[in-house]
Amino acid sequence: MTALTPASATHTSAHGNGVAGPGGRVFNFSAGPSVLPDEVIRQIQEDVWNYKGSGVGILEHSHRGRVYEACLADAEAAVRKVGTVPAGYKVLFLTGGATGQSHLVPANLVPKGGHADFLVTGYWSEKNFEDGKFYGPMHAAANTADRKHALIPGDDEIRYSSGPAYVHMTSNNTIYGTQWHRTPRVPAGVPLVCDASSDIYSRPIDVSQYGLIYAGAQKNLGTTGATVVIVREDLVERGSKDIPRMQQLRTFAKESSMPNTPPHFAIYTVGLVANWILAQGGLAVLAQRNADKAKVLYDAIDRHSGFYQGHARREDRSLMNVTFRCRTAELDEKFCKEATAAGLDTLKGHRSVGGMRASIYNAFPRAGCVALAQFMDEFARRNG
Ligand SMILES: *Cc1c(COP(=O)(O)O)cnc(C)c1O
């Protein structure tokens, strides 16, 4: 351990009353890669040096050895347990991020001459819709672009085509700060595919309502490099066979996510985070915590409704990404600059929305939300 700085000596949760907390850490509102639980970081520090007493660090283990095979099996089991993933579903670890799935899903699931339906509710689902067109004439069953993606469409607004191979949705719109608080109604027998990259395992989920769920790990599940795919086995079997082997979901299902060297550190981290969720008491506990954290920030926006404006329609507000702005772009810039100086980091909104975005995923501490809300109060008082 001498080559490492012991985490316990330097790292406790960041605080917002100065420039940085102990160990130089600040409150990190990054949209992704984003904050990890303290306990997970400590464990990683140990395991990078010597994983489970094996004498070999986790980064250096062969993926074909017994030690790593157990690590991957544990990660898969933990992911299954957290989401109570039912029998008949595979949990796979792929690479290529959520963006890779924007191609792999249609490549596998849209048959020749077929098409799929998209619920276009934000930046990422616009990309899914556009990427999908490479594989067939895709249909936008709803599109909220004309309302700046500030809301989630009601079921009465959705117009499905006839016979789509699947319906694609994005459960949380990371950039616009809206979130589905219900599962959309889909035509009978049509699988629902969900990009859950920015809210997976932030609340209880009924996996049986979906055909396929995918998420890049770097927001709520760990670090970048691994993509988690939870998929119904019959869809894997039904998948296209006339595409390259490494693009077929069945290849990963057959070979336990290891047809080649997997992103083994990222998968290991997903396992740590999934086990951390279990140790917290599971998804119901996290959902309560996340709702409480988000309320601290939305209350601050609403308290100063003449000064701050939230982007999302109230009932569609995301509990993961809180988007808001001041009256002018100059004030937004000043806000971000002064917030950074106060140890509240990475609050600048995405260029397509502007303003501010506070990403407060599972691992983000409540104290950071309280510190930001206090800063918002002061900033509004000084500049109002
Ligand atoms: C971040 C994000 C993506 C992009 O993920 P990559 O892993 O970088 O490809 C896609 N969809 C959503 C909803 C996201 O939040």
Side-chain angles (χ1 to χ4, degrees):
M1 277 300 286
T2 49
L4 296 172
T5 310
S8 51
T10 58
H11 176 69
T12 57
S13 282
H15 60 99
N17 59 355
V19 171
R25 285 172 67 86
V26 298
F27 284 125
N28 172 16
F29 291 90
S30 168
S34 39
V35 63
L36 287 164
D38 291 7
E39 298 90 326
V40 167
I41 300 171
R42 290 199 186 100
Q43 190 65 51
I44 290 172
Q45 284 195 311
E46 256 176 51
D47 293 347
V48 163
W49 191 245
N50 184 350
Y51 181 65
K52 294 200 166 171
S54 63
V56 175
I58 185 66
L59 287 165
E60 305 156 288
H61 262 287
S62 163
H63 64 295
R64 297 294 177 200
R66 267 173 200 279
V67 171
Y68 190 74
E69 274 179 13
C71 174
L72 188 141
D74 177 65
E76 188 197 319
V79 169
R80 293 197 84 93
K81 191 163 180 198
V82 171
T84 37
V85 177
Y89 282 79
K90 291 278 186 201
V91 170
L92 306 176
F93 300 104
L94 277 70
T95 56
T99 305
Q101 292 306 303
S102 195
H103 289 271
L104 286 203
V105 171
N108 277 270
L109 299 186
V110 176
K112 276 227 158 50
H115 70 281
D117 280 8
F118 290 78
L119 302 171
V120 181
T121 55
Y123 179 92
W124 294 109
S125 43
E126 278 175 358
K127 285 210 180 312
N128 292 130
F129 180 50
E130 292 306 320
D131 286 345
K133 289 176 183 170
F134 183 81
Y135 304 88
M138 300 298 162
H139 171 73
N143 193 334
T144 52
D146 58 343
R147 284 152 291 169
K148 297 188 176 141
H149 295 310
L151 76 169
I152 295 296
D155 281 324
D156 56 346
E157 196 185 314
I158 300 172
R159 299 276 177 274
Y160 291 116
S161 67
S162 116
Y166 58 85
V167 172
H168 184 283
M169 69 177 290
T170 305
S171 50
N172 182 71
N173 297 288
T174 322
I175 286 172
Y176 290 89
T178 62
Q179 188 174 21
W180 288 82
H181 296 296
R182 66 176 210 280
T183 311
R185 221 183 302 129
V186 295
V190 175
L192 182 59
V193 171
C194 182
D195 174 359
S197 291
S198 54
D199 70 348
I200 190 167
Y201 288 177
S202 66
R203 57 185 177 179
I205 180 170
D206 177 2
V207 172
S208 72
Q209 295 198 40
Y210 301 87
L212 189 153
I213 300 164
Y214 65 86
Q218 66 272 19
K219 286 160 185 148
N220 259 319
L221 287 181
T223 191
T224 179
T227 318
V228 174
V229 176
I230 303 172
V231 56
R232 236 168 55 200
E233 283 168 8
D234 65 295
L235 294 178
V236 174
E237 283 154 26
R238 208 197 295 167
S240 307
K241 292 191 165 130
D242 57 352
I243 54 175
R245 190 178 62 90
M246 285 301 280
Q247 290 172 16
Q248 296 180 28
L249 288 172
R250 74 172 55 72
T251 303
F252 291 84
K254 244 189 251 165
E255 307 205 36
S256 307
S257 299
M258 294 205 286
N260 67 331
T261 315
H264 79 329
F265 178 74
I267 295 170
Y268 147 85
T269 308
V270 170
L272 288 186
V273 171
N275 279 302
W276 175 82
I277 295 173
L278 294 172
Q280 303 307 296
L283 296 184
V285 172
L286 286 192
Q288 186 56 49
R289 237 188 247 175
N290 288 330
D292 174 56
K293 277 154 49 184
K295 185 174 185 310
V296 170
L297 295 182
Y298 286 119
D299 281 354
I301 293 170
D302 294 341
R303 236 189 340 268
H304 306 283
S305 56
F307 189 81
Y308 300 113
Q309 196 193 347
H311 181 75
R313 182 168 74 173
R314 194 175 277 260
E315 59 267 41
D316 301 319
R317 285 172 164 176
S318 166
L319 303 185
M320 298 280 101
N321 309 95
V322 177
T323 47
F324 60 100
R325 61 176 71 82
C326 302
R327 283 187 314 272
T328 65
E330 290 69 38
L331 273 176
D332 290 343
E333 198 176 310
K334 188 170 182 224
F335 183 100
C336 291
K337 200 167 156 223
E338 292 183 11
T340 302
L344 305 166
D345 203 32
T346 332
L347 283 163
K348 190 171 162 42
H350 189 272
R351 63 186 178 281
S352 53
V353 186
M356 276 71 70
R357 170 174 55 172
S359 298
I360 50 171
Y361 304 120
N362 282 345
F364 190 87
R366 184 178 193 278
C369 295
V370 172
L372 175 56
Q374 281 170 357
F375 177 85
M376 289 169 73
D377 287 343
E378 283 165 28
F379 190 82
R381 208 172 305 129
R382 276 188 282 115
N383 297 280

